[in-house]
Amino acid sequence: MLPCQALLPAVVLALTALQALASDTFIAAVYEHAVILPDPTEEPISPDDALALMNKNMDVLERAIKEAAQKGAHIIVTPEDGIYGWRFTRESIYPYLEDIPDPVVNWIPCTDPSRFGPAPVQERLSCMARNNSIYVVANIGDKKPCNSSDPKCPSDGRYHYNTDVVFDPQGKLVARYHKYNLFMGESQFNYPKEPEAVTFETPFGKFGIFTCFDILFYEPAVVLVSKLQVDTVLFPTAWMNVLPFLTAVEFHSAWAMGMRVNVLAANTHNTSMAMTGSGIYAPAGARAYSYNMKTEDGHLLIAELDAHPRLSPASPPAVSWNSYALSVERFSQNDHEFTGIIFEDPFTFTELTKPGGNLTLCQKDLCCHLSYKMAEKRDDEVYVLGAFDGLHVVEGQYYLQICTLLKCPSTNLSMCGQPVEMAQTKFEMFSLSGTFGTSYVFPEVLYSGVQLAPGEFEVLTDGRLRSRAPTSKPVLSVTLFGRWYEKD
């Protein structure tokens, strides 16, 4: 039998472990990074020069990671392309890539850096996690050799993958994800042969991970949430904002609400490419977010989240997105319907000509119902009700159903649907619903200046998106963004 003095440390350790396992909340951090980019070149630079560039970015990330840890964060997410940028051909990116093993190998690069060959980036990321006792999520590049026995092997004999990695507080590699839905222009990377659904367990919930463009597709994004029941999604991204519906903070917060899951979204920061917008999002709304097109500074966000949001009293209930819209008769229809283009999609619009009222607008199988009352009907601002039901084909092919209350850039109706960031009209109330054919609908409310409206609207279980009170700021858009995965 051990003496009491020897048992005491073991008892304390066991109690600490039990306390961690029972964590109801955790502190999350995301860092929006103004990436230091390499000089454009079609020829590969030396591995030493590539590492020097990556170390400059990791110097910045390390300061953010240390600050987050000092403020109590348990996990930090950094952006897609956050370590080497995006100005590459297939040949020129090669010196930046490392061989990233499957996490089943049980590897801590910080203490065993050469186990799988040279891996200075993984070693440094692992040490950042270990030295600060925090989970670190980063985006780097993976290289895998192949040969002629593989019919899909590229001519240069290797696969390149856009890759997310996660290191735990001991510095161990616990997750590796290869991006499945590559955005146009990512010709330096290969598609994985199969979509990967990557999850890992922590003392504060089950986590899943995917990258940027993946969020618009069923695999892996919906699979992780709906089938594998993750609590929190880690989301490194390099998101170029596209008003009125695909602004980063707007869509990512709406996706968290629609999927009833936490989302930690870390964006790159580059105003010349309209890249900004990061946030820590819960199903009930944004806990912290940042959208900055004025300066080139990076930004650290920290907030507390429920570890198991589906079990939280604050989590919104499940929604039947077409229940109300299918049960009511059509509201009055405006005689003046017209077509406008949003991101190459042909919307049907009708103008809100009165300071208040009820309108129905249909396109194909989708009918959108709107009830509204403006605080003041201005002559210098035009709002429309819009509907789109069809295949989106610009940067990828996917089916959408969208109902939207939208401010136009000017009183010229032909401009409706074009990007606009400022408004002056407040609403006493609004209620928007639609006859959606999909259960995947994401509610968005965007205020003037590209600001979110956390706590100022609600989604009823019958599918109505409505204001809780008069809006505190002028409205840019109120949208139900339906993603019809079932038709893809």
Side-chain angles (χ1 to χ4, degrees), residues 14-26 74 202-205 305-308 311:
L15 289 174
T16 302
L18 288 172
Q19 187 178 27
L21 289 171
S23 295
D24 294 324
T25 64
F26 68 102
H74 298 94
T202 76
F204 36 89
L305 287 170
D306 293 314
H308 305 285
L311 304 179

Side-chain angles (χ1 to χ4, degrees), residues 26-30 73 264 280-281 286-289 301-305:
F26 68 102
I27 306 298
V30 301
L264 310 186
I280 299 171
Y281 307 112
R287 296 291 175 87
Y289 77 95
L301 296 169
I302 300 176
E304 186 175 25
L305 287 170

